[in-house]
Amino acid sequence: MDKKTTNIRANSTVAEGSSFEGILLVQNNLFIHGRIIGNIKTSKTVHIGSTGYFEGILEAKEVVVSGTLDGKVITTGKLVLESTAIFKGELNARSLEIIEGASFCGISQMDVASSNTNL
């Protein structure tokens, strides 16, 4: 038997057609293709696929949206809105990338101090 230890963390997925309501604490990347209503907290990346829907408060290192996000996003990194994304709500992030075709309806607060350390 091999004595090597491999530290592999699997990604978590909420599949299309699935739904979850409540508080979700995740230790790895999360892919949402279904529907979540509630709060999510992770130190990794959350991807909301084109069929995905999230409503609530989302805290993550980075967030990539291709589907619909309705709520509040707090990220220490970047929020990316792909061309099919619909964002409604509040954003607190270090940076924001909006691809042509995405919809952003809300308010944003950028953490300028951490993103422009050379100023």
Side-chain angles (χ1 to χ4, degrees), residues 6-99:
T6 305
N7 188 8
I8 299 174
R9 291 190 181 242
N11 293 317
S12 297
T13 302
V14 176
E16 186 174 354
S18 299
S19 64
F20 176 84
E21 205 168 311
I23 298 171
L24 189 58
L25 304 174
V26 183
Q27 295 182 2
N28 45 29
N29 295 323
L30 174 63
F31 294 85
I32 302 170
H33 300 288
R35 180 179 180 90
I36 295 181
I37 297 175
N39 298 338
I40 296 173
K41 187 169 186 174
T42 182
S43 61
K44 303 294 183 180
T45 301
V46 174
H47 300 265
I48 300 175
S50 60
T51 60
Y53 175 86
F54 175 78
E55 180 181 327
I57 299 172
L58 194 162
E59 296 180 60
K61 180 179 179 183
E62 292 195 346
V63 179
V64 179
V65 181
S66 297
T68 302
L69 193 153
D70 187 353
K72 182 174 185 175
V73 173
I74 302 165
T75 175
T76 56
K78 174 168 53 172
L79 170 68
V80 178
L81 298 178
E82 300 286 352
S83 63
T84 56
I86 298 171
F87 179 93
K88 296 180 276 182
E90 299 177 43
L91 168 65
N92 187 328
R94 192 182 59 177
S95 66
L96 170 64
E97 181 178 346
I98 302 175
I99 307 299

